Amino acid sequence: MSILSEIQAELHAPKGQYNSFGKYQYRSCEDILSAVKPLLAKHDCHIILEDDIVGTNPDRLYVKATATIYLDKELIGTTCAMAREQVTKKGMDEAQITGAASSYARKYALNGLFAIDDTKDADTMDNRIDNTVEPRQDYIEKAHKAYMEEVEKE
Protein backbone atom coordinates (compact mmCIF):
# COMPACT_ATOMS: atom_id res chain seq x y z
CA MET A 1 0.00 0.00 0.00
CA SER A 2 1.39 3.43 -0.91
CA ILE A 3 1.90 6.08 1.75
CA LEU A 4 -0.80 8.25 0.18
CA SER A 5 -3.22 5.30 0.29
CA GLU A 6 -2.36 4.71 3.94
CA ILE A 7 -3.02 8.36 4.80
CA GLN A 8 -6.32 8.26 2.87
CA ALA A 9 -7.37 5.11 4.75
CA GLU A 10 -6.41 6.52 8.17
CA LEU A 11 -7.83 10.01 7.68
CA HIS A 12 -11.01 10.91 9.53
CA ALA A 13 -12.01 14.53 8.96
CA PRO A 14 -15.26 15.14 10.80
CA LYS A 15 -17.65 17.91 9.89
CA GLY A 16 -16.66 20.34 12.61
CA GLN A 17 -18.65 23.36 11.42
CA TYR A 18 -22.35 24.18 11.57
CA ASN A 19 -24.31 26.43 9.22
CA SER A 20 -27.16 27.80 11.32
CA PHE A 21 -28.91 29.33 8.30
CA GLY A 22 -29.01 26.09 6.31
CA LYS A 23 -29.02 23.92 9.46
CA TYR A 24 -26.32 21.48 8.37
CA GLN A 25 -22.89 20.27 9.43
CA TYR A 26 -19.92 20.67 7.09
CA ARG A 27 -16.15 20.36 7.11
CA SER A 28 -13.88 23.26 6.26
CA CYS A 29 -10.41 23.34 4.77
CA GLU A 30 -9.10 23.92 8.30
CA ASP A 31 -10.95 20.82 9.57
CA ILE A 32 -9.27 18.68 6.92
CA LEU A 33 -5.84 20.17 7.62
CA SER A 34 -6.22 19.64 11.38
CA ALA A 35 -7.11 15.99 10.81
CA VAL A 36 -4.38 15.26 8.25
CA LYS A 37 -1.38 16.99 9.90
CA PRO A 38 -0.75 14.23 12.48
CA LEU A 39 -0.89 11.63 9.69
CA LEU A 40 1.55 13.63 7.59
CA ALA A 41 3.97 13.76 10.53
CA LYS A 42 3.54 10.02 11.15
CA HIS A 43 4.44 9.23 7.55
CA ASP A 44 7.16 11.93 7.19
CA CYS A 45 5.14 13.74 4.53
CA HIS A 46 4.18 17.34 3.94
CA ILE A 47 1.66 19.13 1.78
CA ILE A 48 1.82 22.41 -0.05
CA LEU A 49 -1.28 24.38 -0.97
CA GLU A 50 -1.01 26.94 -3.76
CA ASP A 51 -3.54 29.31 -5.30
CA ASP A 52 -3.64 30.89 -8.74
CA ILE A 53 -6.19 33.32 -10.14
CA VAL A 54 -7.35 32.20 -13.58
CA GLY A 55 -9.63 33.87 -16.09
CA THR A 56 -9.35 36.92 -18.29
CA ASN A 57 -12.79 38.41 -17.72
CA PRO A 58 -12.90 40.31 -14.40
CA ASP A 59 -16.51 39.13 -13.94
CA ARG A 60 -15.43 35.47 -14.20
CA LEU A 61 -12.31 34.97 -12.14
CA TYR A 62 -11.57 31.59 -10.58
CA VAL A 63 -9.27 30.61 -7.76
CA LYS A 64 -7.43 27.45 -8.76
CA ALA A 65 -6.10 25.66 -5.68
CA THR A 66 -3.46 22.95 -5.98
CA ALA A 67 -2.76 20.50 -3.15
CA THR A 68 0.48 18.56 -3.46
CA ILE A 69 1.85 15.93 -1.07
CA TYR A 70 5.54 15.06 -0.78
CA LEU A 71 7.54 12.35 0.94
CA ASP A 72 10.78 14.23 1.56
CA LYS A 73 11.37 15.77 -1.89
CA GLU A 74 9.44 13.12 -3.81
CA LEU A 75 6.04 14.14 -5.14
CA ILE A 76 3.53 11.41 -4.31
CA GLY A 77 0.26 13.11 -5.25
CA THR A 78 -1.30 16.31 -6.50
CA THR A 79 -4.74 17.59 -7.40
CA CYS A 80 -6.46 20.87 -8.29
CA ALA A 81 -9.88 22.39 -7.71
CA MET A 82 -11.44 25.67 -8.78
CA ALA A 83 -13.92 28.08 -7.24
CA ARG A 84 -15.43 31.11 -8.92
CA GLU A 85 -14.83 34.44 -7.30
CA GLN A 86 -17.95 36.55 -7.02
CA VAL A 87 -17.61 40.13 -8.24
CA THR A 88 -19.34 41.40 -5.11
CA LYS A 89 -20.80 39.86 -1.99
CA LYS A 90 -22.77 41.82 0.55
CA GLY A 91 -20.76 42.51 3.70
CA MET A 92 -17.42 41.41 2.24
CA ASP A 93 -14.55 43.40 0.78
CA GLU A 94 -12.54 42.14 -2.23
CA ALA A 95 -9.89 40.42 -0.11
CA GLN A 96 -12.54 38.51 1.84
CA ILE A 97 -14.24 37.41 -1.39
CA THR A 98 -10.94 36.07 -2.72
CA GLY A 99 -10.18 34.41 0.61
CA ALA A 100 -13.56 32.66 0.66
CA ALA A 101 -13.06 31.36 -2.89
CA SER A 102 -9.55 30.22 -1.96
CA SER A 103 -10.77 28.32 1.11
CA TYR A 104 -13.50 26.64 -0.92
CA ALA A 105 -11.14 25.62 -3.74
CA ARG A 106 -8.51 24.40 -1.26
CA LYS A 107 -11.13 22.30 0.55
CA TYR A 108 -12.04 20.53 -2.67
CA ALA A 109 -8.40 20.10 -3.71
CA LEU A 110 -7.77 18.44 -0.34
CA ASN A 111 -10.92 16.33 -0.80
CA GLY A 112 -9.51 15.08 -4.08
CA LEU A 113 -6.03 14.46 -2.76
CA PHE A 114 -7.18 12.57 0.33
CA ALA A 115 -10.21 10.85 -1.28
CA ILE A 116 -12.77 12.56 0.95
CA ASP A 117 -16.25 12.05 -0.47
CA ASP A 118 -18.36 15.20 -0.12
CA THR A 119 -21.17 14.19 -2.46
CA LYS A 120 -23.57 13.76 0.45
CA ASP A 121 -22.42 16.89 2.31
CA ALA A 122 -25.03 19.57 2.73
CA ASP A 123 -22.71 22.33 1.55
CA THR A 124 -22.58 20.76 -1.92
CA MET A 125 -26.35 21.08 -2.39
CA ASP A 126 -29.24 23.46 -1.95
CA ASN A 127 -30.92 22.16 1.21
CA ARG A 128 -33.92 24.43 0.82
CA ILE A 129 -35.16 22.50 -2.21
CA ASP A 130 -34.30 18.81 -2.03
CA ASN A 131 -31.52 16.91 -0.30
CA THR A 132 -31.13 14.60 -3.31
CA VAL A 133 -30.01 17.33 -5.72
CA GLU A 134 -26.80 16.42 -7.52
CA PRO A 135 -23.92 18.94 -7.87
CA ARG A 136 -24.45 21.15 -10.91
CA GLN A 137 -22.68 19.40 -13.78
CA ASP A 138 -22.97 22.47 -16.02
CA TYR A 139 -21.02 24.55 -13.48
CA ILE A 140 -18.32 21.89 -13.22
CA GLU A 141 -18.03 21.70 -17.02
CA LYS A 142 -17.84 25.52 -17.34
CA ALA A 143 -15.13 25.72 -14.68
CA HIS A 144 -13.16 22.98 -16.42
CA LYS A 145 -13.56 24.70 -19.80
CA ALA A 146 -12.36 28.03 -18.36
CA TYR A 147 -9.36 26.28 -16.83
CA MET A 148 -8.48 24.51 -20.08
CA GLU A 149 -8.70 27.80 -21.99
CA GLU A 150 -6.22 29.35 -19.55
CA VAL A 151 -3.87 26.38 -19.91
CA GLU A 152 -3.97 26.68 -23.71
CA LYS A 153 -3.03 30.39 -23.51
CA GLU A 154 0.12 29.66 -21.54
Side-chain angles (χ1 to χ4, degrees), residues 3-46:
I3 290 174
L4 180 55
S5 296
E6 289 179 30
I7 292 171
Q8 290 171 340
E10 294 173 28
L11 179 62
H12 176 68
K15 297 174 187 175
Q17 309 300 315
Y18 181 72
N19 180 305
S20 58
F21 178 76
K23 297 183 170 61
Y24 58 86
Q25 296 285 130
Y26 67 97
R27 82 179 51 81
S28 67
C29 177
E30 292 79 15
D31 292 331
I32 297 168
L33 290 171
S34 293
V36 80
K37 284 179 181 179
L39 299 174
L40 294 171
K42 174 183 172 183
H43 294 282
D44 295 320
C45 293
H46 63 278

Tab-separated table of all heavy atoms in Angstrom, residues 3-46:
chain	number	residue	atom	x	y	z
A	3	ILE	N	2.057	5.188	0.594
A	3	ILE	CA	1.903	6.081	1.745
A	3	ILE	C	0.651	6.936	1.595
A	3	ILE	O	-0.097	7.126	2.561
A	3	ILE	CB	3.166	6.949	1.930
A	3	ILE	CG1	4.316	6.061	2.401
A	3	ILE	CG2	2.908	8.069	2.919
A	3	ILE	CD1	5.651	6.752	2.498
A	4	LEU	N	0.399	7.438	0.384
A	4	LEU	CA	-0.803	8.247	0.179
A	4	LEU	C	-2.056	7.414	0.456
A	4	LEU	O	-2.990	7.889	1.117
A	4	LEU	CB	-0.841	8.823	-1.234
A	4	LEU	CG	-2.056	9.697	-1.558
A	4	LEU	CD1	-2.207	10.849	-0.563
A	4	LEU	CD2	-1.946	10.244	-2.989
A	5	SER	N	-2.074	6.180	0.016
A	5	SER	CA	-3.217	5.297	0.287
A	5	SER	C	-3.392	5.063	1.783
A	5	SER	O	-4.525	5.021	2.287
A	5	SER	CB	-3.049	3.955	-0.414
A	5	SER	OG	-3.047	4.127	-1.808
A	6	GLU	N	-2.286	4.907	2.492
A	6	GLU	CA	-2.362	4.712	3.941
A	6	GLU	C	-2.956	5.948	4.618
A	6	GLU	O	-3.811	5.826	5.503
A	6	GLU	CB	-0.981	4.409	4.512
A	6	GLU	CG	-0.456	3.037	4.154
A	6	GLU	CD	0.927	2.778	4.718
A	6	GLU	OE1	1.261	3.333	5.791
A	6	GLU	OE2	1.677	2.021	4.080
A	7	ILE	N	-2.494	7.128	4.217
A	7	ILE	CA	-3.024	8.361	4.797
A	7	ILE	C	-4.515	8.485	4.492
A	7	ILE	O	-5.316	8.825	5.371
A	7	ILE	CB	-2.233	9.585	4.298
A	7	ILE	CG1	-0.809	9.554	4.858
A	7	ILE	CG2	-2.935	10.889	4.684
A	7	ILE	CD1	0.129	10.599	4.262
A	8	GLN	N	-4.898	8.203	3.251
A	8	GLN	CA	-6.317	8.262	2.875
A	8	GLN	C	-7.151	7.309	3.729
A	8	GLN	O	-8.247	7.654	4.164
A	8	GLN	CB	-6.476	7.931	1.389
A	8	GLN	CG	-5.950	9.002	0.469
A	8	GLN	CD	-5.919	8.566	-0.989
A	8	GLN	OE1	-5.935	7.372	-1.302
A	8	GLN	NE2	-5.870	9.535	-1.880
A	9	ALA	N	-6.627	6.106	3.975
A	9	ALA	CA	-7.368	5.111	4.755
A	9	ALA	C	-7.471	5.508	6.230
A	9	ALA	O	-8.491	5.245	6.884
A	9	ALA	CB	-6.707	3.737	4.627
A	10	GLU	N	-6.445	6.154	6.760
A	10	GLU	CA	-6.414	6.521	8.173
A	10	GLU	C	-7.127	7.837	8.470
A	10	GLU	O	-7.523	8.083	9.609
A	10	GLU	CB	-4.959	6.650	8.638
A	10	GLU	CG	-4.186	5.351	8.627
A	10	GLU	CD	-2.701	5.562	8.925
A	10	GLU	OE1	-2.348	6.531	9.632
A	10	GLU	OE2	-1.888	4.759	8.440
A	11	LEU	N	-7.299	8.659	7.465
A	11	LEU	CA	-7.834	10.006	7.682
A	11	LEU	C	-9.315	9.981	8.055
A	11	LEU	O	-10.129	9.368	7.388
A	11	LEU	CB	-7.646	10.860	6.417
A	11	LEU	CG	-8.181	12.294	6.502
A	11	LEU	CD1	-7.463	13.085	7.585
A	11	LEU	CD2	-8.036	12.979	5.151
A	12	HIS	N	-9.623	10.668	9.133
A	12	HIS	CA	-11.013	10.909	9.530
A	12	HIS	C	-11.127	12.407	9.768
A	12	HIS	O	-10.548	12.938	10.723
A	12	HIS	CB	-11.381	10.122	10.787
A	12	HIS	CG	-12.768	10.425	11.258
A	12	HIS	ND1	-13.892	10.044	10.547
A	12	HIS	CD2	-13.211	11.082	12.343
A	12	HIS	CE1	-14.960	10.456	11.186
A	12	HIS	NE2	-14.584	11.102	12.286
A	13	ALA	N	-11.833	13.079	8.870
A	13	ALA	CA	-12.008	14.533	8.962
A	13	ALA	C	-13.483	14.821	9.226
A	13	ALA	O	-14.278	14.931	8.294
A	13	ALA	CB	-11.532	15.211	7.680
A	14	PRO	N	-13.849	14.932	10.497
A	14	PRO	CA	-15.263	15.144	10.803
A	14	PRO	C	-15.742	16.530	10.372
A	14	PRO	O	-14.951	17.450	10.174
A	14	PRO	CB	-15.316	15.003	12.327
A	14	PRO	CG	-13.938	15.306	12.788
A	14	PRO	CD	-13.015	14.882	11.679
A	15	LYS	N	-17.032	16.628	10.229
A	15	LYS	CA	-17.651	17.908	9.886
A	15	LYS	C	-17.745	18.724	11.173
A	15	LYS	O	-18.665	18.578	11.956
A	15	LYS	CB	-19.026	17.683	9.269
A	15	LYS	CG	-18.959	16.916	7.974
A	15	LYS	CD	-20.346	16.604	7.476
A	15	LYS	CE	-20.268	15.697	6.273
A	15	LYS	NZ	-21.589	15.285	5.832
A	16	GLY	N	-16.767	19.597	11.368
A	16	GLY	CA	-16.659	20.340	12.612
A	16	GLY	C	-17.336	21.694	12.612
A	16	GLY	O	-17.243	22.432	13.588
A	17	GLN	N	-18.006	22.045	11.536
A	17	GLN	CA	-18.646	23.360	11.417
A	17	GLN	C	-20.157	23.169	11.294
A	17	GLN	O	-20.624	22.138	10.839
A	17	GLN	CB	-18.126	24.087	10.176
A	17	GLN	CG	-16.611	24.152	10.061
A	17	GLN	CD	-15.964	24.871	11.221
A	17	GLN	OE1	-16.431	25.925	11.640
A	17	GLN	NE2	-14.896	24.300	11.745
A	18	TYR	N	-20.895	24.224	11.670
A	18	TYR	CA	-22.349	24.183	11.566
A	18	TYR	C	-22.843	25.451	10.899
A	18	TYR	O	-22.459	26.558	11.286
A	18	TYR	CB	-22.986	24.044	12.954
A	18	TYR	CG	-24.490	23.962	12.914
A	18	TYR	CD1	-25.122	22.815	12.443
A	18	TYR	CD2	-25.282	25.029	13.314
A	18	TYR	CE1	-26.513	22.729	12.387
A	18	TYR	CE2	-26.676	24.958	13.270
A	18	TYR	CZ	-27.276	23.805	12.810
A	18	TYR	OH	-28.640	23.728	12.754
A	19	ASN	N	-23.681	25.295	9.890
A	19	ASN	CA	-24.309	26.428	9.224
A	19	ASN	C	-25.700	26.578	9.830
A	19	ASN	O	-26.582	25.750	9.577
A	19	ASN	CB	-24.390	26.196	7.715
A	19	ASN	CG	-25.030	27.349	6.989
A	19	ASN	OD1	-26.138	27.764	7.305
A	19	ASN	ND2	-24.328	27.862	5.997
A	20	SER	N	-25.881	27.633	10.628
A	20	SER	CA	-27.161	27.804	11.317
A	20	SER	C	-28.265	28.255	10.362
A	20	SER	O	-29.439	27.983	10.599
A	20	SER	CB	-27.029	28.796	12.472
A	20	SER	OG	-26.558	30.040	12.003
A	21	PHE	N	-27.897	28.913	9.273
A	21	PHE	CA	-28.907	29.331	8.301
A	21	PHE	C	-29.469	28.113	7.570
A	21	PHE	O	-30.664	27.923	7.475
A	21	PHE	CB	-28.319	30.332	7.298
A	21	PHE	CG	-29.290	30.761	6.242
A	21	PHE	CD1	-30.296	31.665	6.527
A	21	PHE	CD2	-29.215	30.233	4.957
A	21	PHE	CE1	-31.213	32.047	5.556
A	21	PHE	CE2	-30.113	30.618	3.978
A	21	PHE	CZ	-31.113	31.533	4.284
A	22	GLY	N	-28.585	27.274	7.048
A	22	GLY	CA	-29.008	26.086	6.314
A	22	GLY	C	-29.261	24.882	7.200
A	22	GLY	O	-29.761	23.861	6.751
A	23	LYS	N	-28.840	24.985	8.470
A	23	LYS	CA	-29.017	23.916	9.456
A	23	LYS	C	-28.360	22.604	9.018
A	23	LYS	O	-29.005	21.553	8.949
A	23	LYS	CB	-30.495	23.713	9.778
A	23	LYS	CG	-31.132	24.926	10.418
A	23	LYS	CD	-32.566	24.658	10.784
A	23	LYS	CE	-33.202	25.685	11.602
A	23	LYS	NZ	-33.415	26.974	11.336
A	24	TYR	N	-27.056	22.683	8.721
A	24	TYR	CA	-26.318	21.476	8.368
A	24	TYR	C	-24.887	21.558	8.868
A	24	TYR	O	-24.360	22.635	9.104
A	24	TYR	CB	-26.327	21.228	6.859
A	24	TYR	CG	-25.742	22.357	6.025
A	24	TYR	CD1	-24.377	22.438	5.783
A	24	TYR	CD2	-26.564	23.328	5.464
A	24	TYR	CE1	-23.833	23.456	5.024
A	24	TYR	CE2	-26.030	24.353	4.700
A	24	TYR	CZ	-24.668	24.407	4.480
A	24	TYR	OH	-24.129	25.418	3.732
A	25	GLN	N	-24.293	20.397	9.058
A	25	GLN	CA	-22.890	20.269	9.434
A	25	GLN	C	-22.055	20.238	8.157
A	25	GLN	O	-22.510	19.721	7.130
A	25	GLN	CB	-22.661	18.968	10.205
A	25	GLN	CG	-23.376	18.860	11.520
A	25	GLN	CD	-22.741	19.703	12.596
A	25	GLN	OE1	-23.427	20.448	13.258
A	25	GLN	NE2	-21.456	19.615	12.772
A	26	TYR	N	-20.836	20.751	8.227
A	26	TYR	CA	-19.920	20.666	7.093
A	26	TYR	C	-18.491	20.684	7.603
A	26	TYR	O	-18.235	21.005	8.761
A	26	TYR	CB	-20.174	21.807	6.094
A	26	TYR	CG	-19.842	23.188	6.623
A	26	TYR	CD1	-18.626	23.791	6.336
A	26	TYR	CD2	-20.757	23.887	7.417
A	26	TYR	CE1	-18.327	25.056	6.817
A	26	TYR	CE2	-20.466	25.141	7.891
A	26	TYR	CZ	-19.242	25.730	7.599
A	26	TYR	OH	-18.945	26.971	8.077
A	27	ARG	N	-17.562	20.291	6.744
A	27	ARG	CA	-16.150	20.357	7.114
A	27	ARG	C	-15.505	21.475	6.301
A	27	ARG	O	-15.835	21.683	5.140
A	27	ARG	CB	-15.457	19.011	6.920
A	27	ARG	CG	-15.008	18.673	5.536
A	27	ARG	CD	-14.309	17.331	5.435
A	27	ARG	NE	-15.004	16.206	6.006
A	27	ARG	CZ	-15.975	15.527	5.410
A	27	ARG	NH1	-16.388	15.867	4.214
A	27	ARG	NH2	-16.541	14.509	6.000
A	28	SER	N	-14.598	22.168	6.920
A	28	SER	CA	-13.882	23.258	6.262
A	28	SER	C	-12.490	22.780	5.862
A	28	SER	O	-12.043	21.693	6.249
A	28	SER	CB	-13.757	24.452	7.215
A	28	SER	OG	-12.911	24.112	8.307
A	29	CYS	N	-11.805	23.613	5.125
A	29	CYS	CA	-10.412	23.344	4.770
A	29	CYS	C	-9.590	23.151	6.048
A	29	CYS	O	-8.772	22.244	6.140
A	29	CYS	CB	-9.878	24.518	3.940
A	29	CYS	SG	-8.146	24.394	3.487
A	30	GLU	N	-9.837	23.996	7.042
A	30	GLU	CA	-9.097	23.920	8.302
A	30	GLU	C	-9.377	22.603	9.032
A	30	GLU	O	-8.477	22.040	9.660
A	30	GLU	CB	-9.459	25.109	9.200
A	30	GLU	CG	-8.971	26.439	8.665
A	30	GLU	CD	-9.844	27.022	7.545
A	30	GLU	OE1	-11.000	26.560	7.331
A	30	GLU	OE2	-9.352	27.920	6.840
A	31	ASP	N	-10.622	22.107	8.953
A	31	ASP	CA	-10.952	20.816	9.571
A	31	ASP	C	-10.134	19.690	8.937
A	31	ASP	O	-9.618	18.818	9.632
A	31	ASP	CB	-12.444	20.498	9.423
A	31	ASP	CG	-13.344	21.422	10.219
A	31	ASP	OD1	-12.912	21.934	11.273
A	31	ASP	OD2	-14.491	21.637	9.780
A	32	ILE	N	-10.037	19.717	7.629
A	32	ILE	CA	-9.267	18.681	6.918
A	32	ILE	C	-7.794	18.780	7.290
A	32	ILE	O	-7.150	17.770	7.606
A	32	ILE	CB	-9.457	18.802	5.394
A	32	ILE	CG1	-10.924	18.557	5.021
A	32	ILE	CG2	-8.547	17.811	4.655
A	32	ILE	CD1	-11.273	18.926	3.589
A	33	LEU	N	-7.247	19.995	7.282
A	33	LEU	CA	-5.836	20.169	7.621
A	33	LEU	C	-5.536	19.727	9.049
A	33	LEU	O	-4.511	19.081	9.306
A	33	LEU	CB	-5.406	21.619	7.405
A	33	LEU	CG	-5.332	22.064	5.941
A	33	LEU	CD1	-5.108	23.565	5.848
A	33	LEU	CD2	-4.239	21.303	5.199
A	34	SER	N	-6.418	20.054	9.986
A	34	SER	CA	-6.216	19.639	11.380
A	34	SER	C	-6.197	18.118	11.505
A	34	SER	O	-5.425	17.561	12.284
A	34	SER	CB	-7.318	20.210	12.272
A	34	SER	OG	-7.212	21.605	12.354
A	35	ALA	N	-7.042	17.452	10.743
A	35	ALA	CA	-7.109	15.994	10.805
A	35	ALA	C	-5.930	15.324	10.112
A	35	ALA	O	-5.465	14.265	10.549
A	35	ALA	CB	-8.423	15.508	10.191
A	36	VAL	N	-5.424	15.930	9.037
A	36	VAL	CA	-4.382	15.263	8.252
A	36	VAL	C	-2.965	15.547	8.770
A	36	VAL	O	-2.058	14.737	8.557
A	36	VAL	CB	-4.507	15.612	6.748
A	36	VAL	CG1	-3.914	16.975	6.412
A	36	VAL	CG2	-3.858	14.531	5.888
A	37	LYS	N	-2.750	16.654	9.458
A	37	LYS	CA	-1.382	16.992	9.898
A	37	LYS	C	-0.720	15.911	10.752
A	37	LYS	O	0.456	15.590	10.518
A	37	LYS	CB	-1.372	18.343	10.611
A	37	LYS	CG	-1.465	19.498	9.643
A	37	LYS	CD	-1.478	20.832	10.368
A	37	LYS	CE	-1.590	21.986	9.382
A	37	LYS	NZ	-1.627	23.288	10.075
A	38	PRO	N	-1.405	15.317	11.725
A	38	PRO	CA	-0.746	14.234	12.476
A	38	PRO	C	-0.370	13.040	11.592
A	38	PRO	O	0.663	12.404	11.813
A	38	PRO	CB	-1.795	13.826	13.525
A	38	PRO	CG	-2.714	14.986	13.633
A	38	PRO	CD	-2.721	15.637	12.287
A	39	LEU	N	-1.196	12.743	10.608
A	39	LEU	CA	-0.888	11.635	9.694
A	39	LEU	C	0.298	11.966	8.803
A	39	LEU	O	1.121	11.096	8.498
A	39	LEU	CB	-2.114	11.285	8.851
A	39	LEU	CG	-3.344	10.819	9.635
A	39	LEU	CD1	-4.535	10.635	8.706
A	39	LEU	CD2	-3.048	9.539	10.395
A	40	LEU	N	0.392	13.216	8.380
A	40	LEU	CA	1.545	13.632	7.588
A	40	LEU	C	2.826	13.478	8.402
A	40	LEU	O	3.839	12.970	7.893
A	40	LEU	CB	1.382	15.082	7.123
A	40	LEU	CG	0.243	15.352	6.140
A	40	LEU	CD1	0.057	16.849	5.946
A	40	LEU	CD2	0.491	14.663	4.816
A	41	ALA	N	2.788	13.895	9.660
A	41	ALA	CA	3.970	13.763	10.529
A	41	ALA	C	4.328	12.294	10.732
A	41	ALA	O	5.510	11.918	10.674
A	41	ALA	CB	3.711	14.450	11.865
A	42	LYS	N	3.314	11.460	10.949
A	42	LYS	CA	3.536	10.023	11.155
A	42	LYS	C	4.237	9.385	9.965
A	42	LYS	O	5.084	8.504	10.128
A	42	LYS	CB	2.187	9.341	11.390
A	42	LYS	CG	2.243	7.839	11.483
A	42	LYS	CD	0.845	7.263	11.642
A	42	LYS	CE	0.858	5.751	11.542
A	42	LYS	NZ	-0.498	5.185	11.620
A	43	HIS	N	3.900	9.830	8.769
A	43	HIS	CA	4.444	9.232	7.547
A	43	HIS	C	5.574	10.064	6.931
A	43	HIS	O	5.975	9.812	5.792
A	43	HIS	CB	3.324	9.035	6.523
A	43	HIS	CG	2.313	8.025	6.945
A	43	HIS	ND1	2.532	6.671	6.866
A	43	HIS	CD2	1.068	8.160	7.489
A	43	HIS	CE1	1.473	6.018	7.319
A	43	HIS	NE2	0.572	6.898	7.704
A	44	ASP	N	6.074	11.057	7.671
A	44	ASP	CA	7.164	11.929	7.188
A	44	ASP	C	6.823	12.598	5.855
A	44	ASP	O	7.662	12.683	4.949
A	44	ASP	CB	8.481	11.149	7.056
A	44	ASP	CG	8.989	10.677	8.408
A	44	ASP	OD1	8.880	11.442	9.383
A	44	ASP	OD2	9.481	9.528	8.483
A	45	CYS	N	5.596	13.057	5.736
A	45	CYS	CA	5.144	13.735	4.528
A	45	CYS	C	4.810	15.192	4.840
A	45	CYS	O	4.683	15.578	6.002
A	45	CYS	CB	3.884	13.057	3.973
A	45	CYS	SG	4.165	11.391	3.361
A	46	HIS	N	4.673	15.968	3.796
A	46	HIS	CA	4.178	17.340	3.943
A	46	HIS	C	3.361	17.705	2.716
A	46	HIS	O	3.505	17.093	1.661
A	46	HIS	CB	5.327	18.341	4.169
A	46	HIS	CG	6.286	18.436	3.036
A	46	HIS	ND1	7.316	17.551	2.845
A	46	HIS	CD2	6.361	19.325	2.015
A	46	HIS	CE1	8.002	17.890	1.768
A	46	HIS	NE2	7.437	18.958	1.236
